[in-house]
């Protein structure tokens, strides 16, 4: 009988991965076969993503992208044309998002904060219909676990490159929320001292979002199609509702940011009943297109 020289399974799998992304290469759990350095090489070969240096060269581009105005009007028009309404039917509400750089006192929300943003969200193209206003503070990411670190840049096979930034979410106290609502959420009214700011803005503990470079590629040639992925550090967080003290919310959030788009999959459910309080009923992201080009 003829004999065939077959490659060992691990070598064959490596070849499949180097040929490019495929359902097969994405499905096989191979983390046990390779060292962290080898997994990092495989991930970069498969995803075509770059490993950013330790000088945080991704930060300027992220800051450029993560500001301005976005909305999902096109998504809503498409869904309504298909007869898909918002709510339990599975459609999306129209949401407009404004991300505004804030000049807050150095040392606010911890001495390591690098910059701040105000995030204002309103419904149906009506600026008076604000349903959420947050302050985001941005910090160096927490150290990675030793067993997950790669000697070159910390990437692993299953995950994108390690986070380069942590975004902490802050909401207004109920009293300050009322004052802001009366003044159309004018972010210029935020206190300008650390002490006063801490009295009216509280962190949503455990709800931090870790940002990393995504393997999702856009067609933009100006920046080589770079995009960013944001995921909650612990997958979800539990928050007491300000509107109903008897409800504890389970909050889940993941984001994708490109030069022209901000996708937000933000869901809140009642921890006891499992009822959806906000977010898409099919867990599909709000695809908000940029209205101001950076």
């Amino acid at each position: 009988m003829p004999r065939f020289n077959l490659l060992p399974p691990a070598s064959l799998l490596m070849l499949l991965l180097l040929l490019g992304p495929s359902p097969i290469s994405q499905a096989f759990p191979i983390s046990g076969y390779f060292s962290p350095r080898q997994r990092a090489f495989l991930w970069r070969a498969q995803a075509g993503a770059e490993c950013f240096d330790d000088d945080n060269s991704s930060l300027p581009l992220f800051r450029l992208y993560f500001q301005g105005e976005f909305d999902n009007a096109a998504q809503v028009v498409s869904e309504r044309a298909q007869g898909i309404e918002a709510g339990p039917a599975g459609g999306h509400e129209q949401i407009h998002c404004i991300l505004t750089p804030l000049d807050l006192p150095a040392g606010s929300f911890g001495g390591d904060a690098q910059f701040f943003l105000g995030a204002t969200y309103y419904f149906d193209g009506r600026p008076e219909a604000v349903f959420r206003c947050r302050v985001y503070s941005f910090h160096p990411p927490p150290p990675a676990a030793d067993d997950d670190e790669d000697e070159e840049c910390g990437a692993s096979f299953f995950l994108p490159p390690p986070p380069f930034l942590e975004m902490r979410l802050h909401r207004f106290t109920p009293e300050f929320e009322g004052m802001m609502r009366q003044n159309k959420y004018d972010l210029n009214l935020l206190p300008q001292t650390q002490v006063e700011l801490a009295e009216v803005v509280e962190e949503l503990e455990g709800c931090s979002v870790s940002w990393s470079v995504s393997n999702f590629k856009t067609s933009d040639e100006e920046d080589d199609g770079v995009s960013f992925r944001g995921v909650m550090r612990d997958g979800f967080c539990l928050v007491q509702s300000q509107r109903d003290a008897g409800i504890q919310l389970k909050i889940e959030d993941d984001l994708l940011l490109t030069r022209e788009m901000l996708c937000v999959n933000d869901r809140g459910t009642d921890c006891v009943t499992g009822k959806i309080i906000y977010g898409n009923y099919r867990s599909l992201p709000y695809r908000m297109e940029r209205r101001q080009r950076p």
Side-chain angles (χ1 to χ4, degrees):
M1 294 180 63
R3 298 181 62 184
F4 299 94
N5 294 322
L6 299 178
L7 289 171
S11 300
L12 180 60
L13 186 54
M14 181 181 289
L15 287 175
L16 288 172
L17 292 171
L18 293 176
L19 290 175
S22 71
I24 294 177
S25 66
Q26 292 173 354
F28 278 100
I30 68 166
S31 60
Y33 290 102
F34 303 107
S35 70
R37 180 186 288 272
Q38 290 169 325
R39 293 200 306 270
F41 169 77
L42 286 171
W43 182 88
R44 287 194 293 274
Q46 182 188 19
E50 297 181 0
C51 174
F52 285 86
D53 297 328
D54 290 337
D55 64 359
N56 222 358
S57 58
S58 51
L59 185 56
L61 192 60
F62 174 84
R63 293 188 65 169
L64 178 67
Y65 285 7
F66 203 52
Q67 60 178 293
E69 300 195 25
F70 305 81
D71 72 46
N72 68 328
Q75 179 183 42
V76 171
V77 169
S78 175
E79 290 178 346
R80 301 300 182 268
Q82 301 173 62
I84 304 174
E85 297 297 326
H92 294 78
E93 306 88 352
Q94 183 180 343
I95 291 177
H96 195 96
C97 170
I98 305 175
L99 298 173
T100 308
L102 297 176
D103 183 17
L104 296 180
S108 299
F109 312 120
D112 63 348
Q114 298 177 342
F115 62 101
F116 312 93
L117 285 178
T120 305
Y121 300 83
Y122 58 81
F123 284 125
D124 302 324
R126 297 184 295 122
E128 70 277 10
V130 173
F131 67 89
R132 178 184 302 158
C133 191
R134 296 279 188 263
V135 174
Y136 299 155
S137 63
F138 296 84
H139 308 256
D146 292 339
D147 57 351
D148 289 335
E149 263 192 287
D150 172 64
E151 296 176 21
E152 292 184 23
C153 67
S156 73
F157 177 74
F158 289 111
L159 299 174
F164 64 89
L165 199 62
E166 180 180 73
M167 181 173 80
R168 299 177 190 171
L169 284 58
H170 310 264
R171 67 182 178 186
F172 305 135
T173 61
E175 296 78 12
F176 194 70
E177 178 84 30
M179 190 275 288
M180 290 292 286
R181 187 182 303 112
Q182 292 176 2
N183 289 276
K184 300 180 179 180
Y185 289 94
D186 182 357
L187 292 170
N188 291 315
L189 297 176
L190 286 170
Q192 290 301 302
T193 69
Q194 293 183 42
V195 174
E196 293 176 313
L197 194 62
E199 292 176 350
V200 299
V201 180
E202 59 185 19
E203 182 179 350
L204 292 171
E205 296 286 347
C207 297
S208 297
V209 172
S210 296
W211 284 98
S212 60
V213 180
S214 171
N215 62 358
F216 174 83
K217 288 291 183 179
T218 72
S219 58
D220 197 325
E221 296 181 357
E222 294 184 35
D223 51 32
D224 196 29
V226 174
S227 61
F228 301 96
R229 175 81 187 278
V231 296
M232 298 194 81
R233 188 172 63 189
D234 297 320
F236 69 93
C237 65
L238 302 178
V239 174
Q240 205 69 34
S241 171
Q242 281 188 328
R243 297 182 180 180
D244 188 336
I247 294 181
Q248 187 178 47
L249 297 175
K250 177 183 179 182
I251 297 176
E252 301 170 272
D253 196 6
D254 55 85
L255 309 96
L256 176 68
L257 175 67
T258 73
R259 184 181 182 90
E260 300 295 345
M261 181 177 62
L262 174 62
C263 287
V264 178
N265 194 4
D266 183 18
R267 299 88 77 196
T269 55
D270 187 318
C271 289
V272 176
T273 66
K275 178 183 177 182
I276 296 177
I277 305 300
Y278 65 84
N280 183 259
Y281 277 69
R282 294 185 292 169
S283 294
L284 298 177
Y286 292 79
R287 295 175 57 87
M288 295 186 284
E289 299 176 1
R290 182 179 293 279
R291 297 305 175 207
Q292 295 178 351
R293 185 175 176 83

